[in-house]
Amino acid sequence: MLNLKQSLVENDSILLNATAKTWQEAIERATEPLVKSGAVEPRYTQAIIASTELHGPYYILTPGMAMPHARPKDGVNRDAFSLVILDKPVEFSDGKEVQVLIALAATSPSIHSSIAIPQIVALFDGPNVLDQMVAATSIDDILQMIDQVDTSSYLK
């Protein structure tokens, strides 16, 4: 099963204080670790950007946080997550600002809906999680936050 913490560690895919001037650059930062680890092909990034241009940023899950992703056929090699915290928020086309991005690469729609989304919802269900992430000074801080999350009521 796709596990958020395990995926972030195995793919070396947590970036703190990343820089991006535009939402497109933010998507590039969020997918870079997944491209580097081989979880996705470089075209996956462009698929997310193209989908966003066509449909808008449908993957903004809560104010300040987005889970950019595209379809499995757009270059997903294996299930994986990345977590990127920007030094400053970027504004999307709908005017919403995002500073924390959790990019998802899922090999099937069922992974996306039944395993990935519940873990993300569980993580961000706690109080002030976004502020704590933005304030994190190390990858260990982020991993400890994830360790404190109880996903049992979210995963079936």
Side-chain angles (χ1 to χ4, degrees):
M1 179 178 89
L2 176 62
N3 175 281
L4 176 61
K5 180 182 176 184
Q6 182 180 346
S7 174
L8 293 172
V9 170
E10 287 176 359
N11 291 286
D12 191 22
S13 57
I14 298 174
L15 299 177
L16 305 179
N17 295 315
T19 57
K21 291 185 167 90
T22 65
W23 67 263
Q24 293 92 335
E25 286 182 7
I27 299 299
E28 290 170 4
R29 293 297 92 68
T31 56
E32 278 172 2
L34 300 179
V35 171
K36 187 176 177 184
S37 73
V40 300
E41 297 170 19
R43 65 188 175 101
Y44 191 69
T45 304
Q46 295 312 311
I48 296 172
I49 291 171
S51 178
T52 305
E53 289 170 346
L54 188 63
H55 304 291
Y58 54 88
Y59 45 73
I60 295 178
L61 302 183
T62 188
M65 186 279 221
M67 190 183 79
H69 59 281
R71 295 175 302 209
K73 69 177 187 174
D74 291 324
V76 176
N77 295 323
R78 69 175 183 278
D79 299 320
F81 287 107
S82 71
L83 192 155
V84 174
I85 301 169
L86 301 173
D87 60 348
K88 295 178 187 145
V90 295
E91 186 175 314
F92 279 79
S93 57
D94 62 356
K96 292 179 182 167
E97 290 190 339
V98 167
Q99 191 167 4
V100 176
L101 298 100
I102 299 183
L104 167 65
T107 55
S108 75
S110 64
I111 296 282
H112 170 269
S113 58
S114 65
I115 297 173
I117 297 277
Q119 289 181 79
I120 302 307
V121 170
L123 177 61
F124 285 91
D125 199 24
N128 305 314
V129 172
L130 206 60
D131 293 337
Q132 292 174 33
M133 282 194 173
V134 170
T137 58
S138 72
I139 290 172
D140 282 339
D141 291 344
I142 300 294
L143 295 175
Q144 287 175 9
M145 288 178 65
I146 294 168
D147 280 341
Q148 295 171 6
V149 175
D150 179 10
T151 59
S152 61
S153 63
Y154 295 90
L155 296 170
K156 303 281 187 248

